[in-house]
Amino acid sequence: MNAKEILEQLVAFPSVVGTPNGDIVAWVKDYLESHGAQVTVLPGPERDRANLFATIGPKDMPGYILSGHMDVVSASERTWTSDPFRLRAEGDRLFGRGACDMKGFLAAALAGLPAMAKMPLARPIHFAFSYDEEAGCRGVPHMLRQIRNLCAPPSGAIIGEPSSMLAIRGHKGKAAARIEVHGITGHSSRPDKGLNAIHAVTAVMSATQNIVDTLPNSALDQNFEPPYSTLQIGTITGGRSVNVIPDLCVLELEARAVPGVSPADLLEPIKVTAGALEADGFRTVWEISSTYPALSLDADAPLARLMEELSGAPTLAAVSFGTEAGLYQAAGIDAIICGPGDISRAHRADEFIRTDELAACEQMLVRLAETLQD
């Protein structure tokens, strides 16, 4: 099967983040095993989703990981011009949910597998395909905790997020939180008999804004736009009617931090402010909904130099979006981002990837395998 044919199969699985992924895992497993790969399926704690790890070549030698996620965002946009889970070709463009982010990389890696499998590899190539990346990289940490049992310490990981085939060495870290404030309901004519949860949340909002105002003057990294850490409230919901005291208000917020700054630490003062509401009779719930660390790979790191040779272009210092790469680095594995497609096409209707981008990625990965031969 060529990359287009594989991508057609992968797009047909509606592996939306947060839903069971057994079908796509089974298909990928069968394909890998048909070409001699050693495959391990790693179920997550949700029990209906799994990561997948596979190897060609000697497991006991340091090799390279080709990392991608099997999940996609939902296809709820109303402006799709075709079935998002059926690959549609139009000239050199292949349309479908996940075609760019990031089943295109998976397809290119799997298309290159037959050629790789025929090589006398002295060092291995690993395929590490995760779940629920789109929910804040929730799946891959379970795989990384088992990596020592799966292979020798890897030399590096290529995270194939869409980067126009340019190798990227950095991104910000992220932490997202959900805050529930529970009050006491009642008729709005007697506010003295209740506890207004929306009013209470204004203290949390004020604390958030105070932090936001300080960030442009905090730690800076000119590789990013903006060059400082950021914080924002993304959603706020509460209340049932204008004449009812709201007894619940829910707020979601996220911090994105430059390397060297903990995104969770940026949220800590807000957690303290929310918790202080309990002294006034409110009940609060604080939940970290997703978190991953920043990525920062030195320009002269062996993996960065290797990717310059393979891609034929200098590495880029950083991008604004986040990936699983920071988690690989935190696990002691050098990581870099490089994949087909453009991130501007992701998470939107009529997402697409070009056939030449798939071909370029497949060729690069095969060249990587060639460097690992006897």
Side-chain angles (χ1 to χ4, degrees):
M1 299 177 72
N2 61 35
K4 177 183 175 182
E5 292 166 338
I6 294 172
L7 182 59
E8 184 174 21
Q9 295 291 323
L10 297 178
V11 167
F13 294 106
S15 51
V16 174
V17 58
T19 64
N21 73 345
D23 289 346
I24 190 170
V25 168
W27 189 92
V28 173
K29 177 177 182 290
D30 288 346
Y31 178 89
L32 285 161
E33 289 181 336
S34 73
H35 293 286
Q38 304 172 66
V39 183
T40 303
V41 174
L42 302 162
E46 302 85 358
R47 300 184 180 223
D48 62 357
R49 275 154 274 174
N51 297 302
L52 181 149
F53 191 90
T55 299
I56 56 170
K59 279 188 174 183
D60 59 347
M61 297 295 291
Y64 289 95
I65 294 173
L66 308 182
S67 167
H69 59 85
M70 296 175 285
D71 62 302
V72 298
V73 295
S74 70
S76 57
E77 303 93 343
R78 296 182 179 181
T79 52
W80 278 91
T81 57
S82 59
D83 183 346
F85 295 108
R86 183 174 182 179
L87 195 69
R88 173 172 62 90
E90 189 175 298
D92 67 345
R93 295 183 175 187
L94 304 175
F95 294 87
R97 173 54 82 220
C100 183
D101 184 16
M102 62 178 297
K103 290 179 176 179
F105 176 79
L106 304 186
L110 293 174
L113 172 60
M116 298 176 190
K118 294 176 183 177
M119 297 178 188
L121 296 176
R123 297 167 62 194
I125 291 284
H126 308 291
F127 300 79
F129 296 169
S130 65
Y131 71 90
D132 283 6
E133 187 272 350
E134 297 290 6
C137 303
R138 292 184 179 178
V140 75
H142 305 300
M143 180 159 48
L144 290 173
R145 280 194 283 271
Q146 301 181 61
I147 200 78
R148 293 182 180 179
N149 301 322
L150 298 170
C151 63
S155 300
I158 300 170
I159 285 68
E161 292 282 0
S163 69
S164 300
M165 292 305 296
L166 296 172
I168 298 162
R169 295 181 282 104
H171 65 65
K172 292 181 179 180
K174 174 183 171 180
R178 183 177 188 271
I179 306 169
E180 293 181 9
V181 176
H182 296 260
I184 299 174
T185 192
H187 197 282
S188 62
S189 65
R190 291 300 306 271
D192 55 311
K193 296 289 187 179
L195 287 174
N196 189 309
I198 293 178
H199 288 182
V201 161
T202 60
V204 177
M205 297 174 69
S206 178
T208 302
Q209 186 61 53
N210 289 339
I211 297 171
V212 168
D213 292 341
T214 68
L215 292 177
N217 300 313
S218 62
L220 299 178
D221 188 327
Q222 298 299 332
N223 291 317
F224 295 95
E225 294 181 355
Y228 48 84
S229 302
T230 60
L231 175 64
Q232 76 148 15
I233 296 170
T235 70
I236 182 168
T237 57
R240 288 171 285 166
S241 175
V242 71
N243 61 349
V244 176
I245 299 170
D247 61 344
L248 174 64
C249 188
V250 179
L251 180 149
E252 293 177 300
L253 71 166
E254 68 161 30
R256 292 181 182 262
V258 298
V261 176
S262 165
D265 287 351
L266 293 178
L267 297 179
E268 189 62 26
I270 302 168
K271 180 181 180 181
V272 172
T273 299
L277 296 172
E278 297 194 350
D280 296 322
F282 295 93
R283 182 171 68 86
T284 62
V285 178
W286 172 274
E287 176 190 6
I288 294 292
S289 51
S290 67
T291 181
Y292 56 77
L295 169 70
S296 181
L297 183 69
D298 290 341
D300 60 352
L303 179 60
R305 295 198 301 270
L306 173 63
M307 290 306 297
E308 288 182 340
E309 295 173 7
L310 294 174
S311 67
T315 60
L316 299 181
V319 288
S320 56
F321 60 89
T323 77
E324 295 173 335
L327 289 161
Y328 276 93
Q329 189 174 56
I333 303 168
D334 278 355
I336 199 164
I337 304 160
C338 188
D342 191 301
I343 195 65
S344 66
R345 305 176 204 152
H347 299 194
R348 59 189 302 175
D350 287 346
E351 175 184 353
F352 72 90
I353 197 163
R354 298 197 313 266
T355 54
D356 65 304
E357 294 170 330
L358 287 178
C361 184
E362 180 183 346
Q363 291 163 11
M364 184 194 76
L365 298 178
V366 170
R367 289 197 300 272
L368 169 65
E370 289 172 347
T371 69
L372 306 179
Q373 296 183 90
D374 280 325

